[in-house]
Amino acid sequence: MWFKLALTLFWRELRRGELTIIFAAIALAVLTVFSLSSVTERIRMNIEQKSADFIAADRRLVSNHALNDDYIIEAERLGLNTARQMFFDSMLFANDELVLGSIKAVSNGYPLRGVVKLKDDFAQAEYEVRDVPKPGEVWLSEGMFYSLGLAVGDQVEIGVGMFRASKILVSEPDAPFFSLAGNKRVLLNYTDIEATQAVQPGSRVFYRMLFSGDEALLTDYYGWLKPQLRENQRWQGIKDRQSPLGENLARSESFLLLAGLFGIMLAAVAMAVSAKRYCERQYDPVAMMKTLGGSRATIRNIFLLHLSMVTAFSVSMGIVIGYGLQAVATDYLASFMDTQLPAAGFKPWFLAITIGVVCALMFSLKPLLDLFDIPPLRVLRRNLGDKLAVSRVHMALSVTTIFALMWFFSGELKTTLFLFGGTAILMLVLFGVSRLLFSAGRKLGLSPGSSWSLAIATLQKRANANAVQLISFALAIKLMLFLFVLKNDLISDWQMQVPADAPNAFLININESEVSDIQDFFTQNQITHTEFFPIFRGRANALNGEKFARSASKQEGEEQDEEATRGAGRELNLTWMTQLPDGNEVVDGTWFDADSTELEVSVSRGMAQGIGIEVGDTLTFLVNERSFDAKVTSLRSVDWGSLKPNFVMIFNPPVAGKFPVTYFSAAQFGEGDEKTVSTLLRQHPTVSMIDIKSRLEQAQSMIAQVSLAISFVLAIVLTSGALVLISQVQASLAERMQEIVILRTLGARGRLIKLATLYEFLLLGALAGFVAALVSDVTLLIIQRELFEVDGKLHPYIWALGPASGALFVAAIGYFMVASTMRQNTQGLLRKLA
């Protein structure tokens, strides 16, 4: 019996639009989660795939000595793809020229990720392959062809072996961003290593094993491999800082994660508001049913069935719309980025359905329980049950659910706490400010009959309700401002914007005898360049006598040994100077004393903060096989964005002469300087040049994807924010109808009422926008420093943008929602109220 009655009431309320708000809120929550999860997941996977190209694999094992063959055997047994690499330096001889080359021997299967770019001749266009040189052949970089005076197809001698230089090597995916390899690169088939006889006991050789495959298999393999690794062997993925793009990838994921959380927050708020409003509108029908003999169990079954049907229908519609939305968005992003985005898998489906059901249950549970407690006497005394409208339990349950959903969606407690804490502060500040302003409204002394007076009186009358509305409005505006700043400011700060005078090439491997000749060459050809810095390689091995911890793999989620001091994790380019370099500023301690004879070192502030170095500490360094100590005398801030030569550690002049060095400089070549560069490299064949422009372009292509993803999220957040505003305005429509009827009865003109309503929304929006801007800026400052690890700064322009956009946004949507009500005549309004 009750089931038939429930269906009858359900279809009637559907026709009347009673369930529109709650249906739209659940559907919006689901489509928001599904579309954001799908888009961000697919872009994240695409970024990881493209980033994996930079190491030519999903993972790699790096070692300074030969690796056990069992590692490859076990990986292949698990179904992983593998390849081997060996790096060594050897002399190449041809046409009576002798040049030192950096040789990378690769096995079949290389590269596991990415492509190798080749040219068949100097004048021909480059093309892509996923292959290795045939046995007996080598691929040489263009600089190597110049240095040896070779043509494609000529013979070149490596060690004792003769090889055919069959291709020009333009680039390979795992080419180092900065290394001594420079433009003297050689790609050799792994089986030809023995033919060169260049690798002998004691030779300086580096080994790598490359792995690709399913993430679960890689994790299982690492679990087997980890106990067997030695201290000088490292397991790396693109997320590890040892990889040039590891930090950028981590920031990309943080941006996408942060963007996804915004939609969750607004959808949850819209759901909480709409669920509460729907249940309030059922107080009178429930009271009527109870007077007609309806039991509590019958009423409970009816409305629980309604909730179940609405949830199932709205979740289904949300999934359908979200799927279509993400398909359109990802197709556009894929065409814009000229790439194919991978499928997202089942995660978005699981998240969307789970969050939709949880929202429907948790945000409706307390209002439904209150609904069942409505007394039958409400049919006579309409105010009975109104005290249930304000429920601290419902508020606490909603807040807890929002926090849990954010944490569940992000999996990042730190990120969730930042956003949730900022929102909580916003709510507290707004509630206090709104009560203060609204209660002070009567003291403003505005003239009677004024639209402003009526607007302020209305705000004062609904002080508590307006405070809640203000919080909802401000939350929506805060999240939109947040995304706006992320897209237009933080990303541009992070994009490695290149200054106009920045160098676009590094010159390394310069012998001391060549420095003056190259300086003269630059002067004659009017090429802008930096000074020449002596460099040598070394590792910071200990701090105050305590050795640094062994490096851990971030790719596998490992953590450093908490009992050991965390070190740099890699060898560093070290130098010495007498003067503080441009773009550096001493922030603690003092620069070197010119008369000091003890070894001293200046450390970049970022490195010092990461390791815990302070002025007065003693660092132990290992250079080749020699260990020595140096006292830290200063910490420096470094402008890495200038792209000029910078160093994390700089010694004082007494270190000079203790180690063999080469010199390093940077230059800015123009578009037409190709012949000039070739002339320079021919005159100095041991000098290597690194073109950094192409690597920066590759890194920025990833950032462009993040920017597009945030644009998509901003559109979703705008829609979510609009629904929050609509829900809040609809909640006050009945009260506004009563006010309009009273005002018209007292003789108020329609223009006065319309302007008063418009001013009311303008004031609410401006106040919400101003507080939202201030709280957003403080939260952004914290997130910049703590989450993205960049120097934080305030954004004063949003202090004006917040009130202006808030006033326009709230006034436009709010006035649109009540415009139809104000156009109705008094008789029609009375009929609706009855």
Side-chain angles (χ1 to χ4, degrees):
M1 184 68 180
W2 68 265
F3 184 78
K4 184 178 180 180
L5 176 61
L7 290 180
T8 302
L9 291 174
F10 181 78
W11 291 118
R12 188 188 69 176
E13 290 179 358
L14 274 181
R15 290 194 300 269
R16 291 176 55 192
E18 293 291 322
L19 295 172
T20 303
I21 305 173
I22 193 169
F23 168 79
I26 298 177
L28 181 68
V30 173
L31 75 88
T32 298
V33 173
F34 187 85
S35 57
L36 289 184
S37 298
S38 296
V39 173
T40 54
E41 179 76 4
R42 294 177 71 175
I43 291 181
R44 181 191 65 79
M45 293 171 66
N46 186 56
I47 289 175
E48 286 193 355
Q49 287 183 6
K50 286 185 174 294
S51 300
D53 294 351
F54 288 92
I55 62 172
D58 294 327
R59 306 287 193 278
R60 66 186 183 192
L61 179 60
V62 181
S63 175
N64 292 334
H65 55 80
L67 291 163
N68 195 323
D69 291 339
D70 291 342
Y71 297 167
I72 289 285
I73 295 173
E74 177 64 18
E76 292 178 345
R77 187 190 69 79
L78 289 175
L80 296 174
N81 301 313
T82 64
R84 293 174 181 263
Q85 291 179 329
M86 181 186 292
F87 298 81
F88 59 94
D89 294 335
S90 181
M91 302 303 297
L92 280 74
F93 181 77
N95 299 325
D96 296 326
E97 297 287 346
L98 194 64
V99 176
L100 178 65
S102 179
I103 300 174
K104 176 163 64 177
V106 292
S107 67
N108 291 332
Y110 172 88
L112 299 180
R113 301 292 185 198
V115 294
V116 178
K117 294 183 179 180
L118 303 173
K119 289 199 297 187
D120 291 330
D121 204 347
F122 294 99
Q124 294 187 9
E126 64 184 48
Y127 58 93
E128 299 176 349
V129 299
R130 298 189 68 176
D131 202 356
V132 299
K134 297 177 181 179
E137 295 183 1
V138 291
W139 297 343
L140 307 180
S141 62
E142 192 166 342
M144 185 63 80
F145 275 96
Y146 289 145
S147 299
L148 293 171
L150 289 171
V152 176
D154 288 350
Q155 295 291 315
V156 62
E157 186 175 348
I158 304 177
V160 300
M162 292 294 296
F163 301 90
R164 178 174 173 267
S166 59
K167 305 286 184 183
I168 299 173
L169 178 62
V170 178
S171 68
E172 67 266 45
D174 54 343
F177 183 78
F178 178 84
S179 78
L180 298 181
N183 66 329
K184 304 298 189 296
R185 305 191 319 279
V186 180
L187 208 60
L188 177 75
N189 191 292
Y190 200 87
T191 60
D192 284 335
I193 296 174
E194 187 175 350
T196 67
Q197 297 186 19
V199 178
Q200 301 293 331
S203 296
R204 185 177 176 82
V205 182
F206 301 96
Y207 300 84
R208 282 182 188 169
M209 287 181 177
L210 306 182
F211 306 90
S212 69
D214 184 77
E215 283 293 320
L217 293 178
L218 288 165
T219 301
D220 292 342
Y221 177 70
Y222 181 62
W224 173 86
L225 177 67
K226 182 179 177 181
Q228 307 176 63
L229 294 182
R230 301 181 183 178
E231 290 185 355
N232 57 356
Q233 294 177 335
R234 288 174 295 170
W235 176 258
Q236 296 177 348
I238 189 64
K239 293 181 181 179
D240 293 300
R241 286 187 181 271
Q242 295 94 331
S243 174
L245 293 175
E247 186 174 352
N248 284 345
L249 179 60
R251 289 182 180 179
S252 299
E253 292 184 340
S254 297
F255 273 120
L256 296 179
L257 171 63
L258 197 59
L261 286 178
F262 294 150
I264 298 295
M265 293 180 68
L266 276 182
V269 170
M271 179 61 206
V273 172
S274 60
K276 177 176 175 291
R277 174 58 183 160
Y278 170 74
C279 290
E280 289 175 5
R281 296 179 71 174
Q282 303 303 313
Y283 286 175
D284 291 341
V286 168
M288 182 66 69
M289 280 190 282
K290 286 188 175 182
T291 60
L292 296 176
S295 66
R296 179 186 175 89
T298 299
I299 295 172
R300 182 184 64 238
N301 292 338
I302 289 173
F303 285 99
L304 287 178
L305 180 62
H306 287 184
L307 178 63
S308 300
M309 294 175 68
V310 169
T311 301
F313 188 52
S314 54
V315 167
S316 301
M317 288 300 298
I319 289 289
V320 171
I321 298 173
Y323 184 85
L325 193 60
Q326 67 86 27
V328 172
T330 51
D331 285 347
Y332 170 75
L333 294 174
S335 62
F336 183 87
M337 297 180 296
D338 192 24
T339 187
Q340 185 69 34
L341 296 179
F346 292 102
K347 182 179 178 181
W349 297 83
F350 173 74
L351 282 176
I353 295 174
T354 301
I355 288 178
V357 173
V358 169
C359 283
L361 176 63
M362 299 305 292
F363 295 134
S364 302
L365 183 60
K366 186 58 173 66
L368 277 177
L369 293 177
D370 291 341
L371 181 62
F372 304 150
D373 291 333
I374 293 297
L377 281 177
R378 182 179 170 88
V379 297
L380 299 177
R381 297 176 58 187
R382 298 294 300 278
N383 63 330
L384 288 179
D386 285 350
K387 65 180 181 179
L388 299 174
V390 179
S391 171
R392 291 190 179 90
V393 176
H394 181 227
M395 186 177 298
L397 191 62
S398 299
V399 169
T400 303
T401 303
I402 291 174
F403 180 84
L405 288 176
M406 292 172 62
W407 192 4
F408 171 71
F409 181 76
S410 68
E412 292 279 349
L413 181 60
K414 186 177 181 180
T415 305
T416 303
L417 287 173
F418 279 143
L419 287 180
F420 192 82
T423 303
I425 294 172
L426 173 68
M427 294 171 63
L428 292 175
V429 171
L430 267 176
F431 191 82
V433 170
S434 62
R435 289 305 305 270
L436 180 65
L437 292 179
F438 298 153
S439 62
R442 62 171 64 93
K443 300 178 182 179
L444 294 179
L446 296 176
S447 60
S450 164
S451 298
W452 282 107
S453 297
L454 182 57
I456 292 175
T458 304
L459 291 174
Q460 177 188 337
K461 176 186 175 184
R462 288 197 295 266
N464 285 331
N466 284 331
V468 175
Q469 283 190 357
L470 204 59
I471 291 171
S472 300
F473 297 162
L475 178 60
I477 297 168
K478 169 182 175 285
L479 297 184
M480 287 184 283
L481 289 175
F482 219 109
L483 277 180
F484 179 81
V485 174
L486 280 177
K487 185 177 184 300
N488 294 281
D489 192 78
L490 289 183
I491 285 185
S492 63
D493 288 347
W494 165 47
Q495 266 186 310
M496 298 188 293
Q497 297 294 323
V498 182
D501 61 343
N504 54 21
F506 292 151
L507 279 82
I508 59 177
N509 242 8
I510 303 172
N511 292 323
E512 187 173 5
S513 60
E514 297 177 301
V515 171
S516 60
D517 290 342
I518 296 176
Q519 283 179 325
D520 293 341
F521 182 89
F522 284 156
T523 301
Q524 294 170 7
N525 291 276
Q526 299 180 343
I527 296 174
T528 304
H529 66 94
T530 65
E531 62 180 291
F532 289 75
F533 301 94
I535 59 172
F536 59 99
R537 300 278 289 175
R539 177 184 291 269
N541 225 27
L543 175 63
N544 296 325
E546 183 179 352
K547 285 191 175 182
F548 290 133
R550 175 185 173 274
S551 61
S553 173
K554 293 184 179 181
Q555 184 71 50
E556 307 302 338
E558 288 188 323
E559 296 182 358
Q560 293 282 351
D561 182 359
E562 296 296 335
E563 298 181 358
T565 305
R566 179 179 160 193
R570 66 185 188 277
E571 286 198 340
L572 304 170
N573 290 312
L574 307 174
T575 188
W576 67 83
M577 297 182 189
T578 55
Q579 301 294 327
L580 185 68
D582 293 339
N584 288 234
E585 180 182 352
V586 174
V587 294
D588 191 11
T590 58
W591 188 245
F592 302 130
D593 183 356
D595 298 327
S596 176
T597 58
E598 296 183 358
L599 289 184
E600 299 175 350
V601 64
S602 175
V603 184
S604 70
R605 179 170 54 184
M607 175 68 76
Q609 291 174 344
I611 299 180
I613 300 174
E614 297 179 355
V615 172
D617 287 344
T618 299
L619 282 171
T620 301
F621 292 87
L622 181 64
V623 179
N624 296 329
E625 296 182 354
R626 182 176 175 183
S627 180
F628 65 95
D629 294 337
K631 182 180 179 181
V632 178
T633 58
S634 66
L635 304 181
R636 294 169 290 112
S637 62
V638 181
D639 182 13
W640 299 102
S642 68
L643 293 183
K644 294 180 180 179
N646 279 306
F647 300 87
V648 293
M649 295 190 181
I650 301 174
F651 291 95
N652 60 341
V655 80
K658 297 184 180 295
F659 308 102
V661 299
T662 58
Y663 283 78
F664 161 58
S665 183
Q668 187 181 46
F669 293 102
E671 292 294 334
D673 285 342
E674 291 83 1
K675 292 184 178 179
T676 304
V677 173
S678 298
T679 302
L680 174 64
L681 296 178
R682 284 194 182 99
Q683 292 176 356
H684 302 276
T686 61
V687 174
S688 295
M689 187 187 78
I690 301 174
D691 181 5
I692 63 174
K693 182 180 178 182
S694 60
R695 303 298 282 181
L696 291 176
E697 289 175 350
Q698 287 176 310
Q700 290 186 352
S701 69
M702 291 198 323
I703 301 166
Q705 296 182 40
V706 180
S707 180
L708 284 171
I710 290 183
S711 298
F712 173 75
V713 174
L714 182 57
I716 293 292
V717 168
L718 283 171
T719 305
S720 302
L723 185 63
V724 170
L725 299 184
I726 292 170
S727 300
Q728 288 286 11
V729 174
Q730 281 194 336
S732 64
L733 276 181
E735 188 175 355
R736 291 182 184 277
M737 290 180 186
Q738 291 178 347
E739 292 174 355
I740 293 173
V741 170
I742 294 173
L743 288 171
R744 286 177 178 175
T745 303
L746 295 175
R749 293 175 300 171
R751 175 180 172 82
L752 176 69
I753 299 174
K754 291 179 181 179
L755 287 177
T757 303
L758 181 62
Y759 294 157
E760 178 187 352
F761 285 120
L762 282 172
L763 287 172
L764 280 173
L767 179 59
F770 179 72
V771 178
L774 293 181
V775 175
S776 293
D777 215 10
V778 174
T779 309
L780 277 167
L781 181 66
I782 297 173
I783 285 179
Q784 282 175 275
R785 293 179 176 177
E786 300 297 328
L787 186 60
F788 298 129
E789 299 180 357
V790 298
D791 291 335
K793 66 178 182 180
L794 295 175
H795 309 83
Y797 69 90
I798 69 170
W799 302 350
L801 179 64
S805 61
L808 291 174
F809 186 61
V810 174
I813 294 179
Y815 189 80
F816 174 79
M817 290 297 300
V818 299
S820 60
T821 299
M822 290 186 293
R823 286 194 297 267
Q824 295 184 30
N825 57 37
T826 304
Q827 184 179 1
L829 292 177
L830 287 173
R831 187 179 297 110
K832 281 194 172 184
L833 288 172

